[in-house]
Amino acid sequence: METIEKESMENNEKHETDDDPKINYRGWKVMPFIIGNETFEKLGAIGTLANLLVYLTTVFNLKNITATNIINIFSGSTNFATLLGAFFSDTYFGRYKTLGFCTVTSFLGLLVIQLTAVFKNLHPPHCGKESSTCKGPTVGQMAFLLAGFGLLLVGAAGVRPCNLAFGADQFNPNTDSGKKGNQQFSSIVFFMGAKVYVKVQPSGSPITSIVQVIVVAFKKRRLKLPSEHHLLSLFDYVSPKCINTKLPYTYQFRVLDKAAIMTPQDKIKPDGSATDPWNLCSIQQVEEVKCLVRVLPIWFSAVLYHIVIVQMHTILVFQALQSDRRIGHSNFKIPGASYYVFLMLTMTLWLPIYDRILVPFLRRFTGREGGITILQRMGIGIFLSILTMLVSAVVEGHRRNLALTKPIGIQPRKGAISSMSGLWLIPQLTLAGLAETFTAVGQIELYYKQFPENMRSIAGSLFYCGMAGSSYLSTFFISIVHNVTDKSATGNWLPEDLNKGRLDYFYYMIATLEVMNLGYFILCSRWYRYKKLAAVALVMHEMKVE
């Protein structure tokens, strides 16, 4: 076995050339450009998303539920499109060109939406405060608005999955400082760094390799895997130009191993690769697919978790509008869509505290580099999401009670404004922000560390696809609850006037869902096996020989 391993390594080394240009990794020197691009894209997308909810109900005169579902569908589609962005980036254009094009497209999308507010012909006529019914948008007005949404969608499709991976490309993966940089890790700002970026060229779509493994495993489904020395009968080849770390063999999902079984019909090229990759895959390809399949149950749990966060920038806005948003005794009111800032502020403040103080403290007790495992970090976030919904339900009950007994005014076309201060919404936003620092950040770390190197863009897009699933599920739950409870004894839980509904019941329902999700996540975590390092792979092979 040792002889075979050495011959395979020598065979791969023979095909390496010294003609490849040396890459000058700039590391942290280019991070301001990349972080700046990420920051401004998020400010434009998230800031616009939150305010669009108010914009659609006050300027375009849409109902609360309609506006919420539009925002959720748009948000979901935007996040889901990242999968296509990752595919085109990895297969055809590379991350730099994809980021450049999509950054400009994102700017144009924001510009189009701004124009709908500037020109009167691009939005419905203003509705007076005393009006009970208002004229909605025309087909042309909605089409122009949706065009802006479409441009934002294209922009996010490229920026979101590629930007973090592009940042990782700037560090040398073969040095300790480069690995540490990877771990810690506006249009004009982005292009200012063009001359110093490391631009990794597309090396083919990993999706093709994934499909090949599935197809070949299905073709060879009737073949039997050997009970002993199975590695000797599996095709073990890694291209010398492959950027992926050599993965060790794992005993999960062994049905996929059949894609690497060599038969008399399979032919090998002189360089050691398979003649027909649609009839024979390497065990390295199989293990890369296993990395993806292994993560999917965790990904589904994260989809359920993020439903909580979706409520924080949609339904909560309407709560804020029917609360006392004044600061002290002044006439200044906090905009309803701006309360989401408290969630972002919590994340901004807690992340450095967690990384610089809590992690080193925990490391002394656990001996782990991250203090706790990635899955433990995600589990804490899911638990905090349960608390978020429970606090949200209690606060909403209090807001509604004061709105019915001690109102301070009337929100046009909505209902009475509660005398409860809008600042009471901050605790649930703070808990949601803490949950995000644990689960969302942990989720990203899990994907980037557990996926092969050539799937980094897909790892980023998988995170956003999960958020898309959450938005779609939220739309589904809101629509179902709105329609089912409309004729129930308790009345509609989610009416136009929240004071006439039972939003707190809706929050309790999501809290119950998250309790079940936490149990499901714990089961998945006990079953999950982390990807081992390349050095471990060689040790495992040597142990097999002995």
Side-chain angles (χ1 to χ4, degrees), residues 368-424:
R368 299 182 183 276
E369 183 181 359
I372 55 178
T373 66
I374 300 175
L375 293 178
Q376 286 173 341
R377 181 174 184 171
M378 293 180 63
I380 292 173
I382 295 176
F383 174 75
L384 289 174
S385 72
I386 298 173
L387 297 183
T388 301
M389 284 292 94
L390 292 177
V391 171
S392 299
V394 173
V395 171
E396 168 56 21
H398 180 60
R399 186 209 63 78
R400 178 177 177 272
N401 180 59
L402 290 181
L404 295 175
T405 58
K406 298 179 180 179
I408 60 172
I410 298 294
Q411 179 70 15
R413 302 187 305 280
K414 305 299 180 186
I417 298 176
S418 174
S419 56
M420 185 196 81
S421 172
L423 298 179
W424 280 102

Side-chain angles (χ1 to χ4, degrees), residues 88-105:
F88 285 110
S89 170
D90 289 340
T91 309
Y92 300 108
F93 306 116
R95 295 187 185 107
Y96 175 74
K97 291 181 180 178
T98 302
L99 283 168
F101 174 77
C102 292
T103 298
V104 174
T105 306

Side-chain angles (χ1 to χ4, degrees), residues 280-441:
L280 178 63
C281 298
S282 68
I283 192 62
Q284 171 75 7
Q285 288 178 276
V286 173
E287 289 300 327
E288 289 172 1
V289 174
K290 287 182 181 181
C291 288
L292 175 61
V293 176
R294 202 176 288 122
V295 161
L296 290 180
I298 302 294
W299 174 82
F300 179 72
S301 180
V303 170
L304 297 178
Y305 149 80
H306 199 76
I307 292 175
V308 172
I309 308 302
V310 172
Q311 312 313 315
M312 295 299 104
H313 62 77
T314 52
I315 298 294
L316 182 136
V317 174
F318 299 121
Q319 283 183 272
L321 292 176
Q322 290 190 251
S323 300
D324 185 1
R325 294 178 284 120
R326 295 174 298 180
I327 300 296
H329 298 287
S330 66
N331 292 324
F332 175 78
K333 294 182 179 180
I334 301 176
S338 297
Y339 280 85
Y340 191 76
V341 170
F342 291 106
L343 186 152
M344 305 299 292
L345 185 61
T346 301
M347 292 184 65
T348 303
L349 295 176
W350 176 248
L351 276 174
I353 295 175
Y354 179 83
D355 288 333
R356 299 297 181 182
I357 299 177
L358 189 58
V359 169
F361 176 76
L362 293 173
R363 189 184 297 136
R364 287 185 294 179
F365 295 95
T366 64
R368 299 182 183 276
E369 183 181 359
I372 55 178
T373 66
I374 300 175
L375 293 178
Q376 286 173 341
R377 181 174 184 171
M378 293 180 63
I380 292 173
I382 295 176
F383 174 75
L384 289 174
S385 72
I386 298 173
L387 297 183
T388 301
M389 284 292 94
L390 292 177
V391 171
S392 299
V394 173
V395 171
E396 168 56 21
H398 180 60
R399 186 209 63 78
R400 178 177 177 272
N401 180 59
L402 290 181
L404 295 175
T405 58
K406 298 179 180 179
I408 60 172
I410 298 294
Q411 179 70 15
R413 302 187 305 280
K414 305 299 180 186
I417 298 176
S418 174
S419 56
M420 185 196 81
S421 172
L423 298 179
W424 280 102
L425 299 173
I426 295 178
Q428 63 200 63
L429 288 165
T430 301
L431 285 171
L434 290 174
E436 281 286 84
T437 58
F438 282 99
T439 299
V441 176

Side-chain angles (χ1 to χ4, degrees), residues 451-503:
F451 277 31
E453 287 79 352
N454 71 332
M455 290 188 187
R456 280 176 173 171
S457 291
I458 291 181
S461 64
L462 187 65
F463 171 76
Y464 287 108
C465 284
M467 294 175 65
S470 302
S471 297
Y472 293 142
L473 275 178
S474 181
T475 301
F476 174 76
F477 287 144
I478 289 175
S479 299
I480 292 297
V481 170
H482 179 68
N483 293 324
V484 170
T485 61
D486 188 36
K487 298 180 180 179
S488 65
T490 58
N492 195 329
W493 290 6
L494 303 172
E496 196 72 9
D497 181 3
L498 292 182
N499 301 327
K500 296 180 180 179
R502 295 311 303 254
L503 178 58

